[in-house]
Amino acid sequence: MASSDAVRRQSVGIIGAGAAGLVTAHTLLQDGFENVRLLTRDKSVGGVWERQRIYPGLSLNNVYGEFCFSSLPMPPPQNQKRLGGEDMCSYMEKFADTFLAGKIQFETEVLNIRRATGSGWEIQVQDLRTKVKQILVYDRIVLCTGGCSEPFIPESLSPDAAVKTGFHGLVCHSAEFARHLDRILEDHKVIPDYSVLVVGCGKSAQEYGSFLTLNGRFIHKAQVTVVFEKTDAFLAYPIELPAVLRKSRFLSIMASHIELRTRLERFLHTTWLGGKITRAFWDFLSWSSYESLNIPQNSPLRNSHSLFWGIRTNEEGTGKKDGFHALCNEGKIKLAAPARAVKYTDDGESVLLSNGTEIKANTVILATGFKSSWTNIFARETAKELGIGRHPPLADAEEHVWDYTVFYEEWVSSIYRGIVPARNINRRDFAINGAFFTVNNGYAFEVMAHWISSYFLGDKMRLPSSPEEASKHAGKNAAWMRRRFPEMLFWVNESYIPKPLVGVTTGGPKPWMNSSKTWVFPLCVAGGNWLTWPFKVITPAEIKNLREERGAKREMDLKVIN
């Protein structure tokens, strides 16, 4: 491999300018990479928080102080205890203006990525303003497109299906809600009994329903109906949790991880008494969440995914008087559940549900999730070479200790530690950031950016000795995820990697401590003894000096070699 100085002179292309892309670019530049370029199809930075995607009322699950980077403090929220869409958008824009001026190529659609002859990567792009196509060449690339950039729309509910059946109303995916908001407001002025059907009941669906129900710009309130089979799990409390619970590793420890490294974790998850305590804890948390938001026993909102067994959890805190659950309790938002939206009816104004009900709607918002952001940008042979597509579990996956038999229709992707395609592990020219589940995004993305920089620079790391060994490691992670979160991975697209989560319900970075082991030096963490360690508040300050620590370790390794 080339020397670290030579590597720093080589070009790096970063696909995506969301949070993961921005912090990856900044980290590489801080490490001395001279030719770093971000490509995004958007008009501004931010990814899911890009200015054209945010709307009034948009908020984060994260409490203040969790979603930020160590190099730029997050200003206090504008209007509430939680960060809103405007807060995140402004933060991402300030981060880019401060650290990445002139490094971002906007309104550039990536059409195809393929390996260049010999080495490096060729990226075919199109300028969305001029429609001109060109080929860009980079020595290394980092894929930061995430799992929430390509809307998934069921064919029977698509805008084309609506046109074919003569449906008169607006049909849009939740990702396009902000863009269509002005039309919704204008249509409402001339349609007295304006009604909106929201398909799905995840966090975004709940926010759209609340916003449209309460919007003061409406002459009269819109009638919102939400149709779903199951809603997301949520956490709620009678009082605000202190930071030692909400911002520590406590909930992450209670959720379990693929490797139990402390006596406390082993007690909680491998002993009879510990198991009783852990199950009682999660049962109590579920019960108290419903009670804190006064959810009636017969409410469809109790038909939610499990807090412990699920991947997605919304944090409601102490709840809001004008929040989604309160509006449902008051009957201001109607719930059609459990049911699925099936198709548009021939009358041109209704949607048929799986229970036979027809619901009239002037607007249909499809909060139906996202599909892979990778499918359309990799040639089939490139995807096969990298091993980033879906494939059945490896034959030796069942040698792991999680003995269960429901492997046959599930899938895995062979991505080592959620960062590097196993088949490409020895080349050190391709990495991924942001394709994993976490609620402490800023911390996790930043640690991964440092890992990627070390990987590109050729630093001494405990990496698998071969693609086969890397694939085996990825297979073990996939087996764990299938065992730990049964049935939850069926709806996850492959640009989310089946990798151990960073705290299912909290911001604890414990899994990334495992990734840091490949650097061959301990990642700075909050510290504490066996009793206080779970309750130490986690902040980005823990990793502020990570670049210096990596540099010191690199110099030590060079002295040993020389």
Side-chain angles (χ1 to χ4, degrees):
M1 182 174 176
S3 68
S4 58
D5 289 338
V7 170
R8 288 184 173 94
R9 291 191 293 270
Q10 295 177 341
S11 57
V12 181
I14 299 175
I15 318 302
L22 296 179
V23 75
T24 300
H26 177 239
T27 301
L28 292 174
L29 290 168
Q30 289 290 299
D31 268 350
F33 284 81
E34 301 172 6
N35 187 358
V36 178
R37 193 74 171 168
L38 293 97
L39 307 176
T40 177
R41 64 187 177 189
D42 296 328
K43 294 182 179 180
S44 59
V45 300
V48 294
W49 310 111
E50 194 261 342
R51 189 155 296 279
Q52 291 192 324
R53 293 193 178 96
I54 63 172
Y55 53 88
L58 176 61
S59 64
L60 278 74
N61 277 325
N62 306 67
V63 294
Y64 169 66
E66 278 193 336
F67 202 143
C68 60
F69 305 126
S70 64
S71 54
L72 183 67
M74 170 70 77
Q78 295 182 7
N79 302 312
Q80 51 191 354
K81 294 180 181 179
R82 292 178 183 275
L83 294 169
E86 179 62 37
D87 297 310
M88 285 305 304
C89 178
S90 298
Y91 180 82
M92 296 298 169
E93 291 176 346
K94 183 177 180 180
F95 188 90
D97 291 342
T98 304
F99 302 113
L100 302 172
K103 299 294 183 181
I104 307 172
Q105 190 168 322
F106 295 103
E107 296 187 78
T108 302
E109 182 86 35
V110 173
L111 302 177
N112 183 265
I113 299 174
R114 59 181 178 269
R115 192 178 294 283
T117 302
S119 63
W121 299 90
E122 294 180 352
I123 303 179
Q124 183 184 34
V125 300
Q126 182 179 40
D127 188 313
L128 296 178
R129 294 159 293 191
T130 65
K131 305 303 180 184
V132 173
K133 297 180 181 180
Q134 62 175 317
I135 301 293
L136 304 176
V137 180
Y138 297 98
D139 295 292
R140 289 170 172 77
I141 59 174
V142 186
L143 195 60
C144 298
T145 54
C148 295
S149 58
E150 292 294 331
F152 170 74
I153 299 177
E155 187 175 347
S156 63
L157 299 176
S158 67
D160 288 342
V163 171
K164 290 179 181 177
T165 56
F167 182 74
H168 306 310
L170 169 68
V171 177
C172 70
H173 189 271
S174 57
E176 302 169 336
F177 176 76
R179 185 160 61 89
H180 291 289
L181 181 56
D182 286 341
R183 175 181 166 179
I184 293 173
L185 295 173
E186 289 300 316
D187 288 351
H188 183 272
K189 292 178 182 179
V190 296
I191 303 176
D193 299 320
Y194 194 82
S195 59
V196 178
L197 178 65
V198 181
V199 180
C201 198
K203 185 176 184 297
S204 59
Q206 295 174 14
E207 288 188 335
Y208 304 143
S210 302
F211 174 77
L212 293 172
T213 301
L214 297 171
N215 195 306
R217 292 164 63 186
F218 284 153
I219 299 173
H220 46 269
K221 305 304 180 187
Q223 177 56 64
V224 177
T225 301
V226 181
V227 56
F228 62 94
E229 291 183 295
K230 269 196 171 184
T231 184
D232 284 354
F234 66 89
L235 280 171
Y237 331 104
I239 58 173
E240 284 288 344
L241 291 183
V244 294
L245 293 180
R246 183 55 190 90
K247 294 185 182 181
S248 69
R249 298 178 177 85
F250 175 69
L251 290 177
S252 181
I253 290 170
M254 296 300 294
S256 79
H257 182 244
I258 188 172
E259 296 179 25
L260 305 176
R261 298 190 173 278
T262 66
R263 285 180 294 174
L264 175 61
E265 292 172 283
R266 289 191 288 272
F267 166 73
L268 289 171
H269 300 293
T270 63
T271 69
W272 177 86
L273 179 59
K276 289 285 187 181
I277 293 172
T278 301
R279 284 191 291 271
F281 170 81
W282 287 104
D283 289 344
F284 173 78
L285 211 54
S286 297
W287 172 83
S288 64
S289 294
Y290 290 129
E291 294 300 310
S292 297
L293 297 188
N294 300 312
I295 307 298
Q297 288 290 334
N298 61 349
S299 171
L301 294 176
R302 286 186 176 256
N303 187 27
S304 64
H305 292 290
S306 165
L307 272 177
F308 182 77
W309 295 105
I311 290 177
R312 298 188 303 188
T313 298
N314 300 327
E315 185 176 3
E316 300 295 332
T318 55
K320 296 188 294 185
K321 293 182 179 179
D322 57 356
F324 174 79
H325 297 86
L327 293 172
C328 291
N329 290 343
E330 296 170 11
K332 295 180 179 180
I333 294 178
K334 293 184 177 181
L335 302 177
R340 290 180 296 103
V342 177
K343 65 177 183 178
Y344 302 101
T345 58
D346 295 333
D347 64 3
E349 55 185 26
S350 302
V351 175
L352 176 67
L353 304 187
S354 57
N355 59 12
T357 304
E358 293 184 7
I359 296 182
K360 289 189 176 182
N362 301 104
T363 290
V364 175
I365 299 174
L366 302 171
T368 48
F370 296 84
K371 59 185 179 181
S372 173
S373 60
W374 302 349
T375 304
N376 296 327
I377 61 175
F378 286 99
R380 181 175 299 180
E381 59 273 14
T382 304
K384 184 177 180 180
E385 175 197 345
L386 290 172
I388 61 173
R390 297 187 178 199
H391 60 79
L394 300 176
D396 62 357
E398 299 193 38
E399 73 182 35
H400 301 303
V401 296
W402 310 289
D403 52 346
Y404 64 107
T405 57
V406 232
F407 283 160
Y408 60 101
E409 287 185 348
E410 302 200 19
W411 57 270
V412 299
S413 56
S414 297
I415 313 293
Y416 175 71
R417 296 197 178 275
I419 317 172
V420 180
R423 296 180 184 176
N424 205 65
I425 190 74
N426 293 333
R427 287 179 175 263
R428 297 203 183 206
D429 65 354
F430 185 101
I432 302 166
N433 197 355
F436 41 77
F437 295 99
T438 173
V439 295
N440 202 331
N441 304 71
Y443 192 113
F445 294 167
E446 187 166 348
V447 172
M448 290 301 95
H450 282 282
W451 195 101
I452 290 168
S453 185
S454 285
Y455 176 69
F456 283 173
L457 286 170
D459 288 352
K460 184 179 180 181
M461 306 172 79
R462 292 181 181 139
L463 294 175
S465 59
S466 66
E468 291 74 23
E469 185 182 342
S471 295
K472 188 174 182 179
H473 183 281
K476 178 181 178 181
N477 279 341
W480 159 257
M481 289 293 285
R482 293 194 304 277
R483 177 70 170 126
R484 176 62 181 81
F485 303 101
E487 299 184 4
M488 292 301 293
L489 298 183
F490 283 115
W491 53 262
V492 178
N493 68 68
E494 58 263 43
S495 53
Y496 276 124
I497 295 162
K499 165 171 180 50
L501 283 71
V502 184
V504 182
T505 55
T506 186
K510 189 164 70 71
W512 306 120
M513 291 165 62
N514 298 333
S515 290
S516 74
K517 290 192 307 174
T518 59
W519 280 318
V520 205
F521 75 95
L523 175 64
C524 176
V525 294
N529 59 38
W530 69 272
L531 181 62
T532 62
W533 169 72
F535 303 101
K536 284 288 186 178
V537 175
I538 297 164
T539 71
E542 289 185 4
I543 54 176
K544 189 170 185 178
N545 298 320
L546 190 50
R547 181 173 67 88
E548 288 75 12
E549 294 180 37
R550 291 171 41 232
K553 182 63 176 65
R554 186 181 303 120
E555 290 182 8
M556 286 177 55
D557 291 338
L558 288 175
K559 289 179 180 179
V560 170
I561 293 173
N562 296 330

